[in-house]
């Protein structure tokens, strides 16, 4: 496609305005990237063509009578999206795009008759997005009148494609009484088409004792499991392994308590998104997001100090064997502020006695004992996080 000459007849945009927009895009790409002149020209032409098409087809823009201003504003927006991915680079750009789209569809990836864990959903999301990226590439070719063999070759072309893919996924599709993002509709359809969960005898898979007569040994699920079991991957670092377990357990904890909105919020926090981005994705006001954040914090503390305190404290390297992660000076101050029963409870815990025996020894019900233990851990948590000691906050917490 040759510069702006092919798109000077768009309704409401003069040929001078068309040329000005094209030149803006072309010059900015030349100044902000290391791409060749022809590469910048091609990308600028495609962005300009999309802008003119949108302005021409939009009844709202046409009715407003400010087509040239709208076209210039939209062109600048498209340009900034492209340059953002260009600056991120190939690897970081792909991670950013993957994270953005994953966060949008997380709550909608839920195959029927299957209760997926956090890690399970990530696997399904990965499968879905691979097919969605191909769909987006085909849409990019079609809308820009490119051949079926076109693939992004340069960093600028890759950035252009990634920016398009993000916009393509976020397109609003009109439905009866509402609108929905295209990628959400695709994710829902993908989930519904997933086959029911397959049961596999793990001993049979491991030992190869399937009955060849009934064909069970040829079952693809059995073959896949055997392949996974036969592979000996390099062990993950202990801290990364524990972190994954903590995340999975926390997601399960939230889902068991029907706190799916808290689970969605936690997923977005894992993507390191800003408060404004979280509000936009979840469709919340700032006040609603703040309320959700406080509710998530409540469940997080209950999980960390009561439900799975051993796991969390092992990950934080703050278990009972290390005096709950406190320095000798902090430990001395901490134990001095405990009452007699709290000190006895702490000592019995450090000695490894089961909860039932500890409760009986102290003359407490299980609920009373757990409440006291929660308070003990909470006080140590506060000291580690400098609410008392005034030192730097823990990087984990």
């Amino acid at each position: 496609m040759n510069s702006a000459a092919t798109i000077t007849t768009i309704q409401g945009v003069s040929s001078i305005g068309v040329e000005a927009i094209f030149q803006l895009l072309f010059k900015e790409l030349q100044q902000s990237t290391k791409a060749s002149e022809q590469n910048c020209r091609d990308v600028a032409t495609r962005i300009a063509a999309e802008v003119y098409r949108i302005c021409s087809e939009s009844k709202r823009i046409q009715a407003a009578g400010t087509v040239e201003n709208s076209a210039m504003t939209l062109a600048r927006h498209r340009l900034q999206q492209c340059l953002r991915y260009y600056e991120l680079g190939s690897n970081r750009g792909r991670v950013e795009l993957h994270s953005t789209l994953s966060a949008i569809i997380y709550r909608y990836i839920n195959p029927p008759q299957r209760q997926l864990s956090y890690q399970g959903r990530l696997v399904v999301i990965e499968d879905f997005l691979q097919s969605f990226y191909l769909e987006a590439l085909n849409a990019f070719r079609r809308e820009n009148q490119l051949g079926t063999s076109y693939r992004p070759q340069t960093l600028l072309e890759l950035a252009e494609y990634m920016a398009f893919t993000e916009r393509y996924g976020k397109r609003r599709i009109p439905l009866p009484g509402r609108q929905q993002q295209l990628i959400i509709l695709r994710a829902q359809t993908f989930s519904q088409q997933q086959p029911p969960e397959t049961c596999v005898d793990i001993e049979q898979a491991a030992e190869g004792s399937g009955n060849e007569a009934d064909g069970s040994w040829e079952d693809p699920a059995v073959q896949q499991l055997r392949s996974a079991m036969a592979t000996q991957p390099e062990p993950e670092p202990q801290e990364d392994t524990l972190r994954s377990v903590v995340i999975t357990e926390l997601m399960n904890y939230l889902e068991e308590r029907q706190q799916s909105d808290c689970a969605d919020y936690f997923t977005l926090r894992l993507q390191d998104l800003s408060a404004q981005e979280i509000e936009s994705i979840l469709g919340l006001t700032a006040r609603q997001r703040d309320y959700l954040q406080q509710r998530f914090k409540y469940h997080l503390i209950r999980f960390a100090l009561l439900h799975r305190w051993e796991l969390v404290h092992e990950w934080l390297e703050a278990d009972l064997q290390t005096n709950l992660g406190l320095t000798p000076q902090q430990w001395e101050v901490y134990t001095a502020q405990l009452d007699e029963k709290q000190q006895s409870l702490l000592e019995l815990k450090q000695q490894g006695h089961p909860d039932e025996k500890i409760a009986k020894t102290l003359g407490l019900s299980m609920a009373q004992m757990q409440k006291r233990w929660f308070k003990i851990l909470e006080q140590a948590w506060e000291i580690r996080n400098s609410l008392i000691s005034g030192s730097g906050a823990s990087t984990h917490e």
Side-chain angles (χ1 to χ4, degrees), residues 10 64 75 84-85 88 111 122 157 190 215 233 266 286 301 306 315 341-342 371 373:
I10 296 301
R84 174 171 168 267
Y85 277 106
L88 286 172
L122 291 188
E157 289 176 345
F190 181 85
F266 179 47
I301 292 175
L306 190 61
W315 171 52
K341 276 202 170 183
Q342 286 178 323
K371 185 176 180 180
W373 182 240

Side-chain angles (χ1 to χ4, degrees), residues 282-315:
L282 296 182
L284 302 175
T285 64
R287 184 175 182 180
Q288 290 171 328
R289 192 264 311 155
D290 183 64
Y291 173 72
L292 177 59
Q293 177 179 324
Q294 295 303 317
R295 186 148 51 87
F296 169 72
K297 183 179 179 182
Y298 166 81
H299 287 289
L300 175 62
I301 292 175
R302 299 285 296 179
F303 172 82
L305 302 185
L306 190 61
H307 182 69
R308 291 301 307 271
W309 71 267
E310 300 101 328
L311 173 65
V312 173
H313 283 73
E314 181 184 0
W315 171 52

Side-chain angles (χ1 to χ4, degrees), residues 135-153:
E135 177 186 339
L137 179 58
N138 288 329
F140 181 80
R141 292 166 176 163
R142 182 174 61 253
E143 295 183 14
N144 289 284
Q145 299 179 4
L146 298 169
T148 56
S149 62
Y150 171 83
R151 288 183 179 276
Q153 298 294 329

Side-chain angles (χ1 to χ4, degrees), residues 177-327:
R178 63 189 178 95
Q179 289 188 335
Q180 186 61 280
Q181 290 177 311
L182 184 145
I183 193 171
I184 291 177
L185 295 177
R186 295 287 192 271
Q188 290 173 326
T189 301
F190 181 85
S191 293
Q192 293 167 0
Q193 293 174 344
Q194 294 301 295
E197 192 167 6
T198 303
C199 294
V200 179
D201 187 328
I202 195 167
E203 291 187 2
Q204 173 187 317
E207 299 175 7
S209 57
N211 186 343
E212 295 182 4
D214 63 15
S216 62
W217 183 240
E218 301 301 325
D219 191 316
V222 176
Q223 296 288 355
Q224 183 178 7
L225 181 57
R226 275 190 60 80
S227 176
M229 294 171 66
T231 303
Q232 298 295 330
E234 295 183 6
E236 297 182 39
Q238 177 70 6
E239 182 177 351
D240 291 346
T241 302
L242 284 174
R243 180 178 183 274
S244 298
V245 174
V246 169
I247 290 174
T248 302
E249 289 291 316
L250 177 54
M251 293 297 293
N252 292 338
Y253 174 84
L254 293 172
E255 290 172 358
E256 287 170 2
R257 283 153 183 78
Q258 299 181 339
Q259 297 294 325
S260 59
D261 51 351
C262 287
D264 294 338
Y265 174 79
F266 179 47
T267 301
L268 300 182
R269 285 295 303 272
L270 289 173
Q271 307 293 341
D272 198 27
L273 299 180
S274 67
Q276 291 75 18
E277 290 173 314
I278 292 175
E279 291 163 12
S280 175
I281 292 171
L282 296 182
L284 302 175
T285 64
R287 184 175 182 180
Q288 290 171 328
R289 192 264 311 155
D290 183 64
Y291 173 72
L292 177 59
Q293 177 179 324
Q294 295 303 317
R295 186 148 51 87
F296 169 72
K297 183 179 179 182
Y298 166 81
H299 287 289
L300 175 62
I301 292 175
R302 299 285 296 179
F303 172 82
L305 302 185
L306 190 61
H307 182 69
R308 291 301 307 271
W309 71 267
E310 300 101 328
L311 173 65
V312 173
H313 283 73
E314 181 184 0
W315 171 52
L316 298 176
E317 297 181 353
D319 52 19
L320 289 171
Q321 285 68 37
T322 59
N323 289 341
L324 299 177
L326 302 178
T327 66

